[in-house]
Amino acid sequence: MTTQPFNVNTARAQRQEAHGHTWPFELDGDTFSLPTELSRATAKALRKLDDNDVDGLLALLLGPEQFARFEEHEVTMQDLAAILEAYGKETGLGLDEGAR
C-alpha cells in the first residue's frame, strides 16, 4: 500500500476555509482582527516577549495601525483576558503564559 505524503498546502487551505485568515472582534463599535495562523517569525517574536507584556503581544498581533486604534479604548485586563480566551478557543492558538 502506497501512502500519499501529507500535503501541507491542502491542510492550510482547509484550516483557512474553516477559520478564515483573521479572527475579528468588536470593541466599543470598532472592529479589529487577529491572525488565525501565526508565521514562524511571529512565533519567534512572541517568545521574545516577557510573559506579562500584554501591549507587546497585542501590538505584534494587531499590527501598528490596529494597535494605535486599540489603544484609544479603555480596556481592562479582564477584557483582554476575555478576548484572548475567545481567540484561543476559536483558532486553537493558546496565547497564555504556558504557550509561549
Side-chain angles (χ1 to χ4, degrees):
M1 178 170 114
T2 305
T3 313
Q4 294 295 320
F6 177 73
N7 188 314
V8 175
N9 294 335
T10 299
R12 180 185 302 137
Q14 289 170 345
R15 284 191 314 270
Q16 290 175 345
E17 183 178 326
H19 299 290
H21 293 277
T22 60
W23 181 80
F25 67 95
E26 186 178 317
L27 174 63
D28 300 329
D30 201 355
T31 301
F32 300 91
S33 62
L34 297 171
T36 56
E37 297 200 3
L38 301 180
S39 68
R40 289 179 59 230
T42 300
K44 187 175 183 178
L46 284 172
R47 284 192 304 271
K48 291 180 181 179
L49 294 175
D50 180 89
D51 285 344
N52 297 315
D53 188 358
V54 176
D55 285 339
L57 170 67
L58 290 170
L60 187 61
L61 294 176
L62 289 169
E65 184 271 325
Q66 285 193 103
F67 185 66
R69 285 190 298 118
F70 187 83
E71 283 201 294
E72 295 174 5
H73 297 274
E74 288 293 324
V75 181
T76 67
M77 291 306 292
Q78 290 81 357
D79 293 336
L80 294 174
I83 292 167
L84 293 176
E85 181 180 347
Y87 176 60
K89 283 181 181 177
E90 283 289 319
T91 64
L93 295 170
L95 294 174
D96 59 18
E97 289 86 324
R100 284 187 276 146

